[in-house]
Amino acid sequence: MRKYRSLSILLSLFTLLLMACGGTDTSTNTKQNTASASPVTLNVFAAASLTESFKDIATQYKQAHPKVNITYNFNGSQLLEQQIANGASADIFASADQTNMKKASDASLVTTSKVFARNKLVVIVPSSNPGKIQALKDLAQKGKKIVVAAPSVPVGKYMLQVLDKMGKSTDYGSSYESAVKGNFVSQEENVKAVVQKVQTGEADAGFVYLTDITQAVSSKVTIIDIPDTLNVIAEYPIAVTKDAKHAQDAQAFIDFVLSTQGQAILTHYHFISVNS
């Protein structure tokens, strides 16, 4: 009897020990669940031309995801790619061209990208129009001050492609292309710097994206359209970075950008929807 009683006591102690261990696991799981529900900050590196639209997207996204905070780094896509390559903490990269996204992909800095928007170029002049530029052909007149983005900046690269098309056309020609390039007075690191110099009258004209003519800028500049046959359609790809601290949340944000609601916001800011 004493043996059975001793065995019974041992079994009871063993059961209590298992229950204690189980209680510890439950506590650990609770802590993990609490951690996963904690506020998350996504670092989004986005092309400067996305400034207004992406700020609006963040506002609307946060309404549905109150625990997700969006922190933006807006700049030229080429600078953003370099920053990510140098170890900057980024969860998402949204580029204004495929070239810089390919650089990031080739360096294994990002996962598979998707095009989420398209854009096109226009010429802007100050509303006071000191250079008396009324049409594209006026850009070739000697002494005009034209500000553009550097060739390494997506909009600068697209601008050169537009001028190349114009130079090969019968309406403009190679002499026009050379004359316009001869009037470049500065080459900026992002498109917002081009807009700033034109709207303040530091330049007679500048090549920018259509989406850069925001409500805050529209009264300060006049738009000169570039014909579609001579224009370039810019593609904007987006991807989660390989070192993203919150990869699932980052992908959820990208899914929102690609959604009907996200595309509607981009269209409101004059981007061309990928669903068009």
Side-chain angles (χ1 to χ4, degrees):
M1 291 294 290
R2 290 181 180 178
K3 290 182 179 179
Y4 289 117
R5 186 177 298 172
S6 299
L7 180 61
S8 177
I9 292 171
L10 287 172
L11 286 173
S12 297
L13 289 172
F14 184 66
T15 302
L16 288 172
L17 181 61
L18 286 176
M19 289 176 65
C21 291
T24 302
D25 289 343
T26 302
S27 175
T28 302
N29 290 337
T30 301
K31 289 179 181 178
Q32 288 175 347
N33 291 337
T34 301
S36 64
S38 299
V40 167
T41 297
L42 292 179
N43 293 322
V44 181
F45 282 40
S49 52
L50 293 165
T51 301
E52 293 78 17
S53 60
F54 263 35
K55 284 182 177 179
D56 197 349
I57 283 176
T59 299
Q60 296 197 34
Y61 188 77
K62 192 168 178 60
Q63 290 176 1
H65 304 82
K67 291 192 175 181
V68 178
N69 300 308
I70 310 296
T71 299
Y72 285 118
N73 176 16
F74 292 112
N75 214 322
S77 298
Q78 80 290 352
L79 295 178
L80 298 176
E81 189 277 330
Q82 290 171 13
Q83 289 171 7
I84 295 171
N86 290 333
S89 179
D91 296 290
I92 295 170
F93 178 35
S95 176
D97 67 348
Q98 293 282 11
T99 300
N100 285 290
M101 184 60 76
K102 187 176 185 304
K103 285 182 182 178
S105 179
D106 289 346
S108 296
L109 300 174
V110 295
T111 60
T112 303
S113 65
K114 288 186 177 181
V115 174
F116 68 95
R118 296 184 176 90
N119 211 345
K120 63 180 181 179
L121 273 62
V122 294
V123 171
I124 57 172
V125 299
S127 55
S128 59
N129 199 6
K132 295 181 170 45
I133 296 173
Q134 304 296 334
L136 292 175
K137 288 190 176 182
D138 296 336
L139 297 174
Q141 294 175 0
K142 190 173 181 179
K144 302 302 180 187
K145 295 183 294 181
I146 302 173
V147 60
V148 298
S152 60
V153 183
V155 70
K157 177 187 64 180
Y158 295 135
M159 174 271 303
L160 291 176
Q161 291 174 5
V162 168
L163 287 179
D164 180 65
K165 283 187 174 185
M166 297 176 84
K168 293 175 181 176
S169 72
T170 55
D171 290 335
Y172 293 91
S174 58
S175 59
Y176 171 86
E177 180 183 1
S178 299
V180 172
K181 289 180 178 178
N183 285 333
F184 291 173
V185 293
S186 71
Q187 297 185 359
E188 306 299 323
E189 289 192 342
N190 64 69
V191 70
K192 292 302 183 185
V194 178
V195 175
Q196 179 66 19
K197 287 199 170 184
V198 173
Q199 72 177 18
T200 57
E202 293 181 56
D204 297 323
F207 285 81
V208 300
Y209 294 117
L210 174 62
T211 55
D212 290 306
I213 317 306
T214 61
Q215 187 174 358
V217 173
S218 59
S219 64
K220 300 173 184 177
V221 301
T222 300
I223 300 174
I224 299 176
D225 288 318
I226 300 171
D228 287 344
T229 55
L230 300 173
N231 216 326
V232 172
I233 300 299
E235 289 192 331
Y236 284 57
I238 190 169
V240 177
T241 64
K242 285 285 184 68
D243 293 332
K245 294 180 180 179
H246 307 286
Q248 289 186 342
D249 293 288
Q251 185 58 55
F253 178 82
I254 291 176
D255 291 342
F256 179 81
V257 172
L258 291 164
S259 71
T260 301
Q261 187 177 353
Q263 291 296 297
I265 296 170
L266 289 165
T267 302
H268 174 73
Y269 287 91
H270 306 297
F271 283 93
I272 302 169
S273 170
V274 292
N275 298 328
S276 298

